[in-house]
Amino acid sequence: MNSLSSVIIIDYGSGNLRSVAKAFERTGAGVTVSSDPRLLESASHIVLPGVGAFGDCMAGLSAIPGMLSALNEQVRVRGKWFLGICVGMQMLFDNGYEHGIHKGLGWINGDVVPIASKTLKIPQMGWNNLQIKQKSALLKNIDDGEHAYFVHSYHAKLKDNSGLLAVTEYGEEITAVVGKDNIFGTQFHPEKSQKTGLKIIENFVSL
């Protein structure tokens, strides 16, 4: 179905890469998991997963020689399609406030802050409804109320909500999907979100 798409999933020591890769392979795309920044040149789509603390993930990504410059060149300059998943989405923002203040990629203006609820269990862990804020090619055929699987204690606060594509409710409005030009992110795990997640992955690979 998407055999012309070449997807690279960045391996920087974070995330369940095998389950992410398997979900993308189901679309028929060519999928490579690698920490080699040179491979970004031949990819049509770039995926940055992430599990763990914001600062640790940024440190791991930054520790790969040439990776940050390759990402900027291929995504920001050349406009390749990019999807950040969970902490991979959070790293798109200016700063993360988890165990201190850590600089992110700064591709989308905003900060990653703790979920504010004093009554709900933190981290948010499990299924929650999506509320679509804007139409987007990434969310094609995704309806209000569809469920996605979340595991997180922090969430993104955008400075400009023009990039806010979908939210969920967990004691407050939680950013669930963001998009800016060729750059997208999901706070939830599409690879764990069954039918809804697979549709989103198929939409991304089809871009």
Side-chain angles (χ1 to χ4, degrees):
M1 171 171 57
N2 295 298
S3 58
L4 296 180
S5 296
S6 171
V7 178
I8 183 162
I9 299 170
I10 298 174
D11 179 2
Y12 61 104
S14 173
N16 185 351
L17 300 179
R18 188 65 217 133
S19 65
V20 176
K22 283 176 68 175
F24 276 85
E25 286 164 0
R26 287 183 63 183
T27 69
V31 178
T32 303
V33 178
S34 179
S35 59
D36 186 348
R38 295 171 297 183
L39 296 186
L40 272 59
E41 294 181 24
S42 56
S44 59
H45 296 65
I46 298 169
V47 179
L48 183 67
V51 173
F54 184 104
D56 292 343
C57 289
M58 275 304 301
L61 190 65
S62 303
I64 300 173
M67 182 59 81
L68 291 184
S69 58
L71 274 170
N72 271 295
E73 171 68 22
Q74 299 301 322
V75 179
R76 301 291 299 282
V77 178
R78 302 197 179 187
K80 290 187 177 177
W81 298 108
F82 177 93
L83 178 66
I85 296 172
C86 196
V87 183
M89 182 202 91
Q90 294 179 358
M91 289 192 287
L92 294 173
F93 291 87
D94 296 316
N95 300 291
Y97 288 79
E98 186 172 4
H99 310 309
I101 304 174
H102 305 276
K103 280 202 170 298
L105 293 169
W107 294 356
I108 299 177
N109 289 332
D111 294 319
V112 178
V113 299
I115 297 173
S117 176
K118 304 293 186 197
T119 55
L120 295 172
K121 185 177 177 183
I122 304 295
Q124 171 180 281
M125 186 179 299
W127 296 89
N128 211 340
N129 292 351
L130 297 178
Q131 300 169 25
I132 309 301
K133 291 287 191 179
Q134 295 185 57
K135 288 185 178 179
S136 165
L138 186 72
L139 299 177
K140 181 182 177 185
N141 297 323
I142 303 293
D143 297 322
D144 252 353
E146 290 197 35
H147 286 77
Y149 188 80
F150 292 81
V151 183
H152 66 122
S153 303
Y154 289 74
H155 71 119
K157 291 281 193 182
L158 285 75
K159 289 184 179 165
D160 174 4
N161 280 344
S162 65
L164 186 62
L165 302 183
V167 300
T168 192
E169 290 288 335
Y170 197 73
E172 61 179 313
E173 190 173 87
I174 300 286
T175 297
V177 186
V178 296
K180 179 183 177 184
D181 303 323
N182 56 306
I183 298 167
F184 295 97
T186 64
Q187 178 60 67
F188 55 87
H189 288 269
E191 78 280 7
K192 296 179 180 178
S193 296
Q194 298 180 359
K195 181 182 173 185
T196 299
L198 188 58
K199 274 193 284 187
I200 288 172
I201 289 171
E202 287 174 345
N203 288 341
F204 175 70
V205 170
S206 298
L207 292 170

